[in-house]
Amino acid sequence: MKVVKFGGSSLASGKQLEKVFQIVMSDPERKVVVVSAPGKRNPEDIKVTDLLITCAEKSLANSNPVEEINTVLARYRDIAEELSLPGEIIADIEDDLFARLNGDKDKPDRYIDRLKAAGEDNNAKLVAAFFRKREVEAYYVDPKEAGLVVSPEPGNAQALPEAYERLFALRNQPGILIFPGFFGYSEEGEVFTFSRSGSDITGSILANALKADLYENFTDVDAVYSVNPYIVEKPKEIKELTYREMRELSYAGFSVLHDEALVPAFRAGIPVHVKNTNNPSAPGTRIVAERENTNGPAIGIASDKGFCSIYVSKYLMNREVGFGRKLLGILEDFGLSYEHTPSGIDDISVILRENQFDGEMEKEILQRIKTELHADEVKLVHGLSLIMVVGEGMRRNVGTMARASKALAKAKVNIEMINQGSSEVSMMFGVKSVDEKRAVKAIYEEFFTAVTV
Amino acid sequence: MKVVKFGGSSLASGKQLEKVFQIVMSDPERKVVVVSAPGKRNPEDIKVTDLLITCAEKSLANSNPVEEINTVLARYRDIAEELSLPGEIIADIEDDLFARLNGDKDKPDRYIDRLKAAGEDNNAKLVAAFFRKREVEAYYVDPKEAGLVVSPEPGNAQALPEAYERLFALRNQPGILIFPGFFGYSEEGEVFTFSRSGSDITGSILANALKADLYENFTDVDAVYSVNPYIVEKPKEIKELTYREMRELSYAGFSVLHDEALVPAFRAGIPVHVKNTNNPSAPGTRIVAERENTNGPAIGIASDKGFCSIYVSKYLMNREVGFGRKLLGILEDFGLSYEHTPSGIDDISVILRENQFDGEMEKEILQRIKTELHADEVKLVHGLSLIMVVGEGMRRNVGTMARASKALAKAKVNIEMINQGSSEVSMMFGVKSVDEKRAVKAIYEEFFTAVTV
């Protein structure tokens, strides 16, 4: 039995839904279909979920989101008309949307979550109606009835352990089950959404709960690429990679699959297959627990900008028990999460995502570090990018670092930071953001093209 | 005015004291002479300080340290006889030693400190007597009278700020001042020693307090070497290096100069000159605030074994604010100081000196991390060595990492860890201890010999 998830662009139009239908029907193992909200048909389109967020925000500000709600309805109507679905489905969706819009606004973030969830919920109803119109036994599944219970955290809900037990019963339901992605219900019966792109999470939870043989994740690319195609033209496709490799790649800019989404599949050891709705015969990328290493040391390169570094130096720092802990404690007081802490003998740098703080906070933090830790020097450096070179077993491969750093030197990229030694499947470089693309290209050429010197 | 410090081997015999006398007299700027306890005359010798520690320990265990105390007295007697000093100097030393031995044992660590300090204190008296015998105006300085007040921490005393103010008055004393190294007195008038090899610290404090122009540190090597001569034969000598470079080198196995000792000189900007008592015409090594970079990226390589790594992995760790701080908090509960924390996305390693804990503690720590932090995996890896490649401006030098890591790859050394990005003057590699020497040799050849490929 397979759980199949389709992303927003796979469900953006009637034509796309036809493809989805063909894909599901071509394999009787495809029993559970998780759907996103309608995505973009073209680059000018706005995703239904984004429209719904604007609706919620306007409504909370006591402004009437007429335009947005009509655009949302038009999206569903276009699909329904293209597929000649009965009119009542749109009437139902309209009723649902207005009910949510006129709902209780006492807790604004819960109100927003209810509206956000409408995109997937109504799309699942529409897709089920479409399958039935094609005379296939298919049912919309209400996550509340099915038992997808989650923690009451708006925009960041987590499935509770009992959800897995309760969802298992779906295995015994007849027909094809169309399940809306992205949200669940709290014990009290309130809607809470997962983090953004959370339909991937729903699919993974269902695969785990129903003990599926495979979790297929249909998107709009033929495979996971070994590097960002905006940086390197026509990069190599990855046929197979491990959960760990995918996780490390998705950390730094690989957005093919939501990184939280891998957890439930990973825990149950269920392979994840990333495929293309628009080219279902392409082999896609399989994410598995173990793979044979045939690619050389690296399987992928990811990079992300927007990092900064707080540098703290103090003579004889390394003699001071508790220094690092106190430093991290100050950052925690400001709710900052940090990524890495390379350290010298008498200095330590903390690498953080810079979108976490504004100018005022920045000054305050530096001041507190200076005075509370009696630091000799404290400074903040902006504009860093992190580059991850990922591959199973890379660490056991003598010479990988030499190849990567030589490639960077040849490309005249100064390495601001190296973090290696904890993960066995990655090496991380920090470079100035202006050097990021050049650095990624250089490493790609070293590891992925035949022309090695 | 110069402060001149002589190490134990420079004061191990009458012949050595002759050299010391010649050195001091050859430059009228050499006003303050800091002396260690008599060191080894040959590899079989036991240092006077080590004998005194044994005396203290035996005495605390109610065993009479006759043999050791006689060996100590014999060392002083040999020197006095060699130099034909009057007999009363040995009688004085004998009285002093027995007074300390029969002193109050209520606080054992203070008792040990009083005995440890006897080595330097009595040697200063002997050296002063020798200078006077040569008809030079020279005085033993009592650190208590001179005002070297320290914190009451046995074996780890720190000079208090007022010590600097009070010691300044020594400038106006006539003659050559012979000052015992290694200890000071608390406000209450009790002896407390600095950390081991603390005579270097005394010299540095005096240089700072007396606003000396230079702090000369006489030892038994011609210069600070660019690498451990036990690993590489006849390594290059370093003519000049900065405080920062010296500090990073002394961290990992460079024992020429005590690393705490640089602080007072560094704070006052006083150059430190390491010279050889046995070859005073050799240029030695100057430690300064800034230097011209003429050596290429690296000036020295240091390495040290005896490290271990605690590896902790947890899926989605990097989303968890406070994870690192909690982990370091657990280590702190056990009084452990850590060196570095390389981290991946979902894992972090903590590098520590392994002499800090025993088997029981090890198990307890791993258990606490596992249960309190809900870690997926926790493991401890023993037998690591750290290698520091040090040089000012190294970080701005594109390609340095490439050269170092290529050299390691050629020597078939697997890099377990790289920590780079905080210190601007060093790169650090972690390797298995069995690979340490091979690794150091390979890096030395890359950076210090002309044969670069």
Side-chain angles (χ1 to χ4, degrees):
Chain A
M1 195 271 286
K2 298 175 183 172
V3 170
V4 198
K5 182 257 168 182
F6 292 92
S9 65
S10 305
L11 300 159
S13 66
K15 197 177 143 209
Q16 289 299 86
L17 260 75
E18 282 283 5
K19 293 181 191 166
V20 167
F21 180 74
Q22 295 305 328
I23 289 168
V24 173
M25 298 322 293
S26 68
D27 182 347
E29 290 293 307
R30 291 174 176 142
K31 161 114 192 137
V32 179
V33 178
V34 177
V35 300
S36 301
K40 294 183 180 193
R41 293 160 297 190
N42 53 61
E44 284 72 44
D45 251 357
I46 303 173
K47 289 180 183 176
V48 163
T49 305
D50 288 323
L51 289 165
L52 289 167
I53 293 170
T54 312
C55 282
E57 285 168 349
K58 279 200 172 174
S59 175
L60 282 168
N62 291 317
S63 136
N64 194 349
V66 190
E67 202 187 315
E68 290 79 7
I69 208 76
N70 283 334
T71 311
V72 170
L73 276 168
R75 291 296 307 273
Y76 289 112
R77 191 176 295 117
D78 287 352
I79 298 170
E81 282 172 5
E82 206 181 329
L83 300 171
S84 314
L85 302 183
E88 60 257 40
I89 181 76
I90 298 304
D92 284 355
I93 291 174
E94 191 166 352
D95 288 352
D96 175 85
L97 284 174
F98 280 102
R100 290 177 198 249
L101 213 48
N102 297 323
D104 177 12
K105 294 180 192 170
D106 275 1
K107 293 180 175 156
D109 47 7
R110 296 184 181 203
Y111 179 80
I112 294 173
D113 265 24
R114 284 198 297 274
L115 269 157
K116 273 156 76 182
E120 277 73 10
D121 205 21
N122 286 303
N123 213 26
K125 290 174 191 168
L126 188 148
V127 170
F130 165 53
F131 274 54
R132 284 197 297 273
K133 169 110 169 76
R134 290 295 166 88
E135 295 175 355
V136 169
E137 190 186 1
Y139 304 96
Y140 158 78
V141 180
D142 181 349
K144 193 179 199 168
E145 284 170 22
L148 179 42
V149 276
V150 298
S151 62
E153 299 172 79
N156 192 32
Q158 309 286 325
L160 301 180
E162 52 266 41
Y164 291 89
E165 292 159 29
R166 290 166 66 182
L167 289 165
F168 182 70
L170 288 177
R171 268 190 90 107
N172 303 320
Q173 284 198 22
I176 288 168
L177 307 180
I178 315 292
F179 202 107
F182 192 34
F183 69 96
Y185 286 83
S186 67
E187 302 275 15
E188 284 72 36
E190 276 198 272
V191 170
F192 288 93
T193 65
F194 297 128
S195 54
R196 195 68 203 262
S197 304
S199 294
D200 286 341
I201 301 179
T202 306
S204 187
I205 292 168
L206 288 172
N208 176 312
L210 275 67
K211 305 197 193 312
D213 302 304
L214 185 67
Y215 171 28
E216 291 179 308
N217 195 298
F218 279 85
T219 173
D220 52 7
V221 290
D222 272 358
V224 175
Y225 293 114
S226 50
V227 67
N228 187 337
Y230 292 108
I231 296 181
V232 174
E233 249 182 275
K234 293 195 187 154
K236 259 182 119 167
E237 293 176 0
I238 301 176
K239 300 271 171 278
E240 197 170 60
L241 77 173
T242 65
Y243 299 118
R244 296 204 288 182
E245 288 172 331
M246 186 69 227
R247 165 82 180 120
E248 304 250 349
L249 286 171
S250 66
Y251 164 73
F254 265 57
S255 56
V256 173
L257 203 67
H258 192 293
D259 60 354
E260 254 182 84
L262 278 175
V263 184
F266 158 74
R267 295 250 150 91
I270 298 165
V272 180
H273 200 164
V274 175
K275 295 203 75 178
N276 190 353
T277 302
N278 305 315
N279 185 18
S281 62
T285 300
R286 284 173 64 89
I287 307 167
V288 295
E290 280 178 45
R291 68 174 176 89
E292 281 188 46
N293 190 356
T294 52
N295 296 57
I299 196 161
I301 304 165
S303 64
D304 205 3
K305 51 172 63 45
F307 293 91
C308 64
S309 141
I310 298 176
Y311 169 89
V312 184
S313 79
K314 181 177 181 180
Y315 212 88
L316 296 183
M317 177 190 291
N318 82 320
R319 299 278 183 89
E320 210 174 314
V321 173
F323 190 92
R325 199 238 335 129
K326 284 177 218 154
L327 174 62
L328 300 182
I330 292 178
L331 299 179
E332 207 180 329
D333 286 346
F334 289 88
L336 296 173
S337 75
Y338 70 94
E339 309 291 316
H340 306 284
T341 57
S343 57
I345 306 308
D346 290 333
D347 41 42
I348 184 167
S349 292
V350 185
I351 313 291
L352 314 96
R353 288 196 189 263
E354 55 191 353
N355 63 8
Q356 292 183 96
F357 47 117
D358 53 38
E360 264 320 296
M361 200 181 186
E362 190 175 315
K363 254 190 264 169
E364 242 178 281
I365 291 170
L366 298 188
Q367 191 53 43
R368 276 194 60 187
I369 295 172
K370 183 112 193 163
T371 53
E372 291 176 27
L373 300 181
H374 308 286
D376 292 335
E377 192 186 350
V378 185
K379 68 184 175 196
L380 205 142
V381 180
H382 285 285
L384 296 177
S385 289
L386 294 185
I387 299 172
M388 304 276 301
V389 187
V390 176
E392 284 289 335
M394 143 172 295
R395 218 178 124 200
R396 297 290 143 214
N397 203 315
V398 169
T400 309
M401 173 55 69
R403 287 175 65 187
S405 54
K406 188 180 147 206
L408 291 176
K410 266 175 67 180
K412 302 259 185 294
V413 172
N414 195 62
I415 302 171
E416 300 292 316
M417 181 194 96
I418 295 180
N419 197 329
Q420 195 216 337
S422 194
S423 167
E424 301 194 345
V425 301
S426 71
M427 280 186 315
M428 181 183 302
F429 296 95
V431 301
K432 291 217 168 65
S433 292
V434 291
D435 291 337
E436 178 185 329
K437 284 193 180 180
R438 210 163 74 250
V440 170
K441 271 187 199 161
I443 296 173
Y444 183 83
E445 273 163 33
E446 174 64 32
F447 289 107
F448 290 88
T449 63
V451 208
T452 45
V453 189
Chain B
M1 195 270 288
K2 298 175 185 172
V3 171
V4 197
K5 181 255 166 183
F6 291 93
S9 66
S10 305
L11 301 159
S13 66
K15 197 177 143 208
Q16 289 299 86
L17 260 74
E18 283 282 5
K19 294 181 192 166
V20 168
F21 180 74
Q22 294 306 330
I23 289 168
V24 174
M25 298 322 295
S26 68
D27 182 348
E29 290 293 307
R30 291 176 175 141
K31 161 117 192 135
V32 180
V33 178
V34 177
V35 300
S36 301
K40 294 183 177 193
R41 293 161 296 189
N42 54 60
E44 284 71 45
D45 251 356
I46 303 175
K47 290 180 183 174
V48 163
T49 305
D50 288 323
L51 289 166
L52 290 167
I53 292 170
T54 312
C55 283
E57 285 167 350
K58 279 199 173 176
S59 175
L60 283 168
N62 291 317
S63 138
N64 193 347
V66 189
E67 200 187 316
E68 289 79 8
I69 209 75
N70 283 335
T71 312
V72 170
L73 277 168
R75 290 296 309 275
Y76 289 111
R77 190 176 297 117
D78 286 354
I79 297 170
E81 283 173 3
E82 208 181 329
L83 300 171
S84 314
L85 301 184
E88 59 257 39
I89 180 76
I90 298 304
D92 284 354
I93 291 175
E94 192 167 351
D95 289 350
D96 175 85
L97 284 174
F98 281 102
R100 290 177 199 249
L101 213 47
N102 297 322
D104 179 12
K105 295 180 192 171
D106 274 2
K107 294 182 175 159
D109 46 7
R110 295 185 182 202
Y111 179 79
I112 294 173
D113 264 24
R114 283 198 298 275
L115 269 157
K116 273 156 77 181
E120 277 73 9
D121 205 21
N122 286 304
N123 212 26
K125 290 174 192 167
L126 188 147
V127 171
F130 166 53
F131 273 56
R132 284 196 297 271
K133 169 108 173 61
R134 291 295 166 88
E135 295 177 353
V136 168
E137 189 186 3
Y139 304 95
Y140 158 78
V141 181
D142 181 348
K144 194 178 198 169
E145 285 171 23
L148 179 42
V149 275
V150 299
S151 61
E153 299 170 81
N156 192 32
Q158 309 286 328
L160 300 181
E162 53 266 41
Y164 292 90
E165 291 158 31
R166 290 167 65 183
L167 289 165
F168 182 71
L170 289 178
R171 268 191 90 107
N172 303 321
Q173 285 199 23
I176 289 170
L177 308 179
I178 315 291
F179 202 107
F182 192 34
F183 69 96
Y185 286 83
S186 67
E187 302 275 14
E188 285 72 36
E190 276 199 89
V191 170
F192 288 92
T193 65
F194 299 127
S195 53
R196 195 69 203 263
S197 302
S199 294
D200 286 341
I201 301 179
T202 306
S204 187
I205 291 168
L206 289 172
N208 177 312
L210 275 69
K211 306 198 193 310
D213 301 306
L214 184 66
Y215 171 29
E216 291 179 308
N217 193 299
F218 279 84
T219 174
D220 52 7
V221 289
D222 272 358
V224 176
Y225 293 115
S226 50
V227 68
N228 188 336
Y230 292 107
I231 296 181
V232 174
E233 250 183 273
K234 293 195 186 153
K236 260 181 118 165
E237 293 176 358
I238 301 175
K239 300 269 170 282
E240 196 170 61
L241 78 172
T242 65
Y243 299 117
R244 298 204 287 181
E245 288 172 331
M246 187 68 227
R247 165 82 179 120
E248 304 251 349
L249 286 171
S250 66
Y251 164 74
F254 264 58
S255 55
V256 173
L257 203 67
H258 192 294
D259 59 356
E260 255 182 83
L262 277 175
V263 184
F266 159 74
R267 294 252 151 90
I270 298 165
V272 179
H273 200 165
V274 175
K275 296 203 75 178
N276 190 353
T277 302
N278 306 315
N279 184 17
S281 62
T285 300
R286 283 175 66 87
I287 307 167
V288 294
E290 280 177 47
R291 67 173 177 90
E292 279 188 47
N293 189 358
T294 51
N295 296 56
I299 196 159
I301 304 165
S303 64
D304 205 4
K305 51 172 62 45
F307 293 92
C308 65
S309 141
I310 298 176
Y311 169 87
V312 184
S313 79
K314 181 177 182 181
Y315 211 90
L316 295 183
M317 178 191 289
N318 83 318
R319 299 277 185 87
E320 213 175 313
V321 173
F323 191 93
R325 199 238 335 130
K326 283 177 218 152
L327 174 61
L328 299 182
I330 291 177
L331 299 179
E332 207 180 330
D333 287 348
F334 288 87
L336 296 173
S337 75
Y338 70 94
E339 308 291 315
H340 304 284
T341 57
S343 58
I345 308 308
D346 290 334
D347 41 42
I348 183 167
S349 291
V350 185
I351 313 291
L352 313 94
R353 289 196 188 263
E354 53 191 357
N355 63 6
Q356 293 184 96
F357 46 118
D358 54 37
E360 262 319 296
M361 200 184 194
E362 188 174 317
K363 255 190 263 168
E364 242 179 282
I365 292 170
L366 298 187
Q367 192 54 45
R368 276 194 60 187
I369 295 172
K370 183 114 192 161
T371 53
E372 290 175 28
L373 300 181
H374 308 286
D376 292 335
E377 192 186 349
V378 185
K379 67 184 177 198
L380 205 141
V381 181
H382 285 285
L384 296 178
S385 288
L386 294 186
I387 298 171
M388 304 276 302
V389 187
V390 176
E392 283 288 336
M394 144 171 297
R395 218 179 123 199
R396 298 289 143 217
N397 203 315
V398 168
T400 309
M401 173 56 67
R403 288 176 65 187
S405 55
K406 187 179 149 209
L408 292 175
K410 266 176 68 182
K412 302 261 184 292
V413 173
N414 195 62
I415 303 170
E416 300 291 316
M417 183 194 97
I418 295 179
N419 198 328
Q420 193 216 339
S422 194
S423 166
E424 300 194 347
V425 301
S426 71
M427 279 186 315
M428 180 184 301
F429 296 95
V431 302
K432 291 216 169 64
S433 292
V434 291
D435 292 336
E436 179 185 327
K437 284 193 181 179
R438 212 165 71 249
V440 170
K441 271 186 199 160
I443 296 174
Y444 182 83
E445 274 164 31
E446 174 65 31
F447 288 109
F448 290 89
T449 64
V451 208
T452 45
V453 189

